[in-house]
Amino acid sequence: MRRALKLAAHGAGRVSPNPMVGCVIVKDGRVIGEGWHEYCGGLHAERNALAHCAEDPAGAKLYVTLEPCCHSGRTPPCTDAILECRIGRVFIGCLDPNPLVAGKGVQILRNAGIPVETGVCEDECRRINEVFFHFITHQTPFVVLKYAMTLDGKIASRTGDSRWVTGEAARTHVHETRNQLTGILVGVGTVLTDDPLLTCRIAGGRNPVRIICDSHARTPLDSQIIRTAREVPTIIAVTGWSDRAAALERAGAQILICAADAQGHVSLPDLMRQLGARQIDSVLLEGGSALAFSALDAGVVHKVQAYITPKLIGGADAKPPVGGAGFAKMADALPLYGLTVTPLGEDLLLEGDLVCSPASSKK
């Protein structure tokens, strides 16, 4: 199963909004076939593995990270292929939360007389598809809040200089994450201050859909974002139509009109619902600090990635990664769970899950 997990990871950034799935087929103690879901619309992992078998898979054991599908979509049911090839036993990492599957695939195999074992390396199999599990259940993007800060909690100096907070290894990891997630979100303040490109700059990488939270359509027409809007899909989220919005649309951006929150800014829950309707299953939120707090306060963030560099810069006016009004009491602070720490050169990546936030706790 752990080999199947490694195979599944090859689909990162290529299968959205489908899950990443890997499959290994073993006969007489030997691997005779393996495969993974390579791209959306392509063969599912089970069919791919069966197609690459070196010998007849009849009687073999099949290990797959996610429950085999039992419905027809872009491809026929994988349960059919397993039955046709007379697989002898099936081991499954975790069940598929898709209502079209959700235990039905397992039952079809068992009804046909095939022994099925579920929950093999279940935690790892669920973790690799945390985006899919959230999206198929809620139909809104899985949001990762990312920032890089010094050891004293600053994302830039008092003059606004921020290049570079972290080293090359950490920056490369950010681009790998951009490649894996479908969208990237920043506030218009970040565009006005940094004029970022927000693309994926690794070999063979895929650019995420760029989303600018820009209530009043202030994104400059000569910004890098707009100058490349015809080459890289770009969404400008506004609260109403205007001449500025029309100009941005003529320049190649897609204008998304959202509801306004109490402060007159783009409602982030409404934005997420509209992005989900466009099949954007995941978003990397990269800035700025005010938008970071708004997203946390609105309950739309699911995971935090904090890159921490061993530098001290000081400055009462130097920006922290999360700004805005902040929570009034320490008791209101949002706890992170499942923390992991990964060394990246001289820097550290701290990752954790947000189980509950103010908005979600009121639902």
Side-chain angles (χ1 to χ4, degrees):
M1 189 62 75
R2 289 203 166 90
R3 172 61 184 166
L5 278 163
K6 289 181 180 179
L7 294 172
H10 292 319
R14 296 175 173 84
V15 300
S16 172
N18 288 349
M20 293 182 283
V21 184
C23 181
V24 176
I25 299 172
V26 179
K27 189 172 186 179
D28 299 327
R30 297 171 290 109
V31 173
I32 64 168
E34 58 183 30
W36 65 92
H37 186 32
E38 298 178 8
Y39 59 91
C40 186
L43 290 177
H44 286 188
E46 301 93 320
R47 287 184 174 271
N48 215 348
L50 289 166
H52 288 89
C53 276
E55 58 185 86
D56 185 357
K61 298 175 181 178
L62 183 146
Y63 296 80
V64 63
T65 56
L66 187 68
E67 179 181 7
C69 67
C70 54
H71 65 288
S72 294
R74 295 183 178 92
T75 59
C78 289
T79 49
D80 287 358
I82 292 171
L83 295 175
E84 290 165 5
C85 292
R86 295 176 294 142
I87 291 295
R89 190 178 185 91
V90 175
F91 296 86
I92 296 171
C94 58
L95 299 182
D96 190 338
N98 186 339
L100 296 174
V101 187
K104 300 182 184 74
V106 169
Q107 197 58 50
I108 286 172
L109 297 177
R110 285 176 173 160
N111 288 346
I114 298 178
V116 178
E117 183 175 339
T118 62
V120 182
C121 300
E122 184 171 9
D123 288 345
E124 296 98 314
C125 291
R126 290 184 63 86
R127 172 62 66 175
I128 198 172
N129 275 317
E130 59 185 357
V131 167
F132 171 75
F133 273 61
H134 171 83
F135 185 69
I136 199 69
T137 303
H138 300 283
Q139 295 299 302
T140 57
F142 183 88
V143 178
V144 178
L145 170 61
K146 165 263 168 184
Y147 53 81
M149 70 178 189
T150 59
L151 197 58
D152 54 344
K154 308 296 183 181
I155 61 173
S157 71
R158 59 181 173 79
T159 65
D161 180 52
S162 61
R163 297 191 178 182
W164 293 101
V165 175
T166 55
E168 186 174 342
R171 297 200 300 274
T172 297
H173 190 274
V174 171
H175 285 281
E176 291 171 350
T177 304
R178 289 183 181 183
N179 176 56
Q180 293 169 5
L181 301 183
T182 304
I184 183 169
L185 171 66
V186 299
V188 67
T190 295
V191 176
L192 295 172
T193 301
D194 298 336
D195 191 23
L197 196 53
L198 302 180
T199 53
C200 175
R201 295 188 285 279
I202 57 174
R206 173 200 54 82
N207 289 325
V209 176
R210 301 178 302 192
I211 307 153
I212 314 302
C213 203
D214 184 7
S215 303
H216 306 296
R218 294 189 294 143
T219 299
L221 292 172
D222 62 351
S223 64
Q224 291 194 92
I225 292 285
I226 299 304
R227 292 204 310 269
T228 57
R230 297 191 190 280
E231 289 77 48
V232 182
T234 302
I235 295 173
I236 309 294
V238 299
T239 55
W241 190 253
S242 65
D243 290 343
R244 285 283 306 168
L248 291 169
E249 185 177 65
R250 287 193 298 271
Q254 304 170 49
I255 303 300
L256 192 62
I257 299 177
C258 301
D261 62 18
Q263 290 73 44
H265 301 143
V266 166
S267 164
L268 294 177
D270 183 56
L271 172 60
M272 296 305 154
R273 283 190 291 271
Q274 294 201 50
L275 293 177
R278 292 176 175 229
Q279 295 296 291
I280 295 177
D281 64 351
S282 52
V283 168
L284 181 64
L285 199 169
E286 284 212 5
S289 62
L291 181 61
F293 176 74
S294 295
L296 290 168
D297 193 37
V300 301
V301 177
H302 307 99
K303 186 174 185 176
V304 175
Q305 290 184 333
Y307 296 85
I308 304 172
T309 191
K311 301 174 185 175
L312 301 173
I313 196 167
D317 296 327
K319 280 190 176 182
V322 181
F327 298 122
K329 299 178 181 179
M330 189 61 68
D332 297 330
L334 304 179
L336 297 179
Y337 299 90
L339 292 178
T340 61
V341 180
T342 306
L344 295 169
E346 294 184 350
D347 306 315
L348 295 176
L349 169 60
L350 180 70
E351 295 181 274
D353 299 320
L354 275 169
V355 176
C356 187
S357 58
S360 59
S361 66
K362 296 172 185 174
K363 294 179 181 179

